[in-house]
Structure formats: C-alpha cells, structure tokens
C-alpha cells in the first residue's frame, strides 16, 4: 500500500484530514517536524501547492497539503492567507480578530468565510489534484463552544445556529470548508492509482 505524507504541522488539521483520508485505505504518515516549507504564495491554493510539492519532493513520496484560513469582509479579507501568522497562539489570534472587529461596533458587518485549499503532489513534486472549499459564516462577538481548534469558537454558521466549536466532529466534518473541499476531492482521490 503506498504511503502518503500528510503535509501539516497543525494537530487540529491533521485530526480532521485523517478522518477524510482514512476512507481511502492509504498508509498515512505525518510530515517530519523539521521539514518546513515557506508559504510564499499569494493565495490559499498556491500555498497548498507549495506545501504538497515541497514535502513530496523532499521525501520522494506522495504528499497532501491543506492551506486554510479565515477571510473577514469588514477587514478586507484579512487575516486570509495570514491566518496562522495573525498572532502566536490560537487565543491570541481570536483576541486580535475580535479586537479588530470591535472597532466596527456591535451592529457592524460580521460576515466571513472559512476557506480550505487542498493539493496532492506525486513523489516528483508535481501537483496531481487540487481544489478549494468555502464555508460562509459570521464572526461572533465572543467565543462559544469548546470543540475543534483554531478560530472555531468565534466562527458561527447561521444555517446551523452553531459555532464550529459547538458542532460535533461529524457535524463540522459535514459542513466545514475542509469538509466541502474533501467532498470535492474524494471521488478523484478514489479513482487515483498511486505508484
Ligand atoms: P500547516 O501549514 O503546517 O498545515 P498551519 O496552522 O500553519 O499548519 P495554515 O498556514 O493553513 O496552517 O493556517 C491556517 C490557520 O487557520 C491556522 O491558524 C489554523 O488554526 C486556522 N484554521 C484552519 N482551519 C481551521 C478550522 O477548521 N477551524 C479553525 N481554525 C482553522
């Protein structure tokens, strides 16, 4: 069975990616900690491609990467591709986002999107498959819920009446940007013969 490297250093992402990938029966292996790829792209897709291709090439194995983040309308799409670099802890990132949005007042525009780009690279580092999933929502005034990771406690999905952190893992899986992206990619992944 071919080994596929999951090219992430984020444990929250890894846990979610594994759930989707387990269905494929691949042998999954985590990227080594010390193998870091610079995210120099200007879009989520470019960064997902850079991470997948960089890890695949360095290890000579198949690799799949996820680049994701939160784009907030009232902040002109920030933090966007800089979501991980917005502060140095999940709490710090949430605090900063709430602070920046507080300037718009309680009646301000809270609309946002969570975006997830996925890319799969072959052992030569060529991108074989890619896609992007988008989940629309709103930024809450204060965190709600204890599940998930990252920005989950402040990202609210109106159609479900819950923040990502208030959803069961299964419910987040079915509705999130990552769930949407994997839903698009899985049929192609299933058809692929890895060599
Ligand atoms: P890798 O690049 O190693 O995969 P990273 O955490 O640096 O890990 P990104 O550059 O893609 O990943 O940054 C994504 C940021 O958005 C990061 O702060 C995540 O915690 C956050 N994020 C992504 N998906 C999320 C989700 O489903 N729920 C909450 N936060 C999420």
């Amino acid at each position: 069975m071919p080994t596929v490297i999951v090219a992430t250093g984020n444990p929250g992402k890894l846990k979610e990616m594994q759930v989707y990938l387990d269905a494929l029966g691949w042998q999954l292996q985590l990227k080594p900690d010390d193998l870091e790829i610079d995210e120099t792209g200007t879009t989520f897709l470019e960064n997902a491609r850079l991470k997948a291709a960089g890890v695949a090439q360095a290890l000579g194995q198949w690799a799949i990467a996820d680049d994701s983040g939160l784009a907030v309308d009232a902040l002109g799409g920030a933090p966007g591709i800089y979501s991980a670099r917005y502060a140095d802890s999940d709490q710090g990132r949430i605090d900063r986002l709430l602070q920046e949005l507080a300037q718009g007042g309680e009646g301000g525009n809270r609309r946002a999107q969570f975006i997830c780009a996925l890319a799969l690279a072959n052992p030569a580092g060529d991108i074989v498959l890619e896609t992007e999933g988008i989940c629309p929502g709103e930024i809450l005034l204060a965190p709600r819920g204890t599940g998930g990771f990252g920005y989950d406690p402040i990202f609210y999905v109106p159609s479900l009446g819950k923040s990502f952190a208030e959803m069961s893992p299964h419910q987040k899986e079915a509705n999130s940007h990552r769930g949407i992206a994997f839903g698009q990619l899985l049929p192609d992944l299933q058809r692929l013969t890895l060599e």
Side-chain angles (χ1 to χ4, degrees), residues 5-6 14-15 19 22 26 40 43 62 71 83 85 87 92-94 112 120 123 155 162 169 179 181-182 188:
I5 310 296
V6 185
L14 174 67
K15 205 168 152 195
V19 173
D22 273 351
W26 294 348
T40 53
T43 64
W62 288 86
S83 293
R85 293 166 261 184
R93 288 183 270 270
I94 286 178
L120 177 78
F155 188 76
K162 286 181 183 177
F182 269 102
D188 291 334

Side-chain angles (χ1 to χ4, degrees), residues 7-10 13 16 31 39 51 66-70 81 83-85 90 93 114 149-152 164 172 176-178:
T8 183
N10 182 321
K13 266 191 196 178
E16 292 188 8
K31 156 188 100 66
E39 297 183 28
K51 288 189 272 191
D66 162 318
D67 197 67
S68 42
L70 193 50
I81 59 166
S83 293
R85 293 166 261 184
D90 279 346
R93 288 183 270 270
F114 242 128
F149 68 98
Y151 295 93
D152 281 351
F164 269 174
K172 185 181 171 195
S176 74
H177 50 311
R178 187 164 295 105

Side-chain angles (χ1 to χ4, degrees), residues 138 140 144 155-164 166-167 171:
E138 290 166 14
L140 288 166
R144 272 172 51 174
F155 188 76
Y156 179 78
V157 180
S159 58
L160 296 169
K162 286 181 183 177
S163 76
F164 269 174
E166 291 176 310
M167 295 181 191
Q171 203 171 19

Side-chain angles (χ1 to χ4, degrees), residues 104-190:
E106 284 203 16
N109 176 5
R110 314 284 299 188
R111 277 193 297 275
Q113 301 184 316
F114 242 128
I115 298 151
C116 172
L118 298 172
L120 177 78
N122 69 16
D126 307 316
I127 299 301
V128 173
L129 291 173
E130 61 182 33
T131 195
E132 194 172 76
I134 297 178
C135 177
E138 290 166 14
I139 304 301
L140 288 166
L141 293 168
R144 272 172 51 174
T146 54
F149 68 98
Y151 295 93
D152 281 351
I154 55 167
F155 188 76
Y156 179 78
V157 180
S159 58
L160 296 169
K162 286 181 183 177
S163 76
F164 269 174
E166 291 176 310
M167 295 181 191
S168 66
H170 181 71
Q171 203 171 19
K172 185 181 171 195
E173 232 175 274
N175 293 283
S176 74
H177 50 311
R178 187 164 295 105
I180 293 165
F182 269 102
Q184 291 163 183
L185 204 65
L186 276 173
D188 291 334
L189 292 176
Q190 268 151 355

Side-chain angles (χ1 to χ4, degrees), residues 10-48:
N10 182 321
K13 266 191 196 178
L14 174 67
K15 205 168 152 195
E16 292 188 8
M17 289 174 80
Q18 265 173 323
V19 173
Y20 306 108
L21 293 170
D22 273 351
L24 296 165
W26 294 348
Q27 185 89 38
L28 299 177
Q29 202 172 298
L30 185 56
K31 156 188 100 66
D33 261 358
D34 56 357
L35 175 55
E36 292 209 34
I37 307 297
D38 283 341
E39 297 183 28
T40 53
T42 56
T43 64
F44 291 104
L45 263 174
E46 274 177 29
N47 281 334

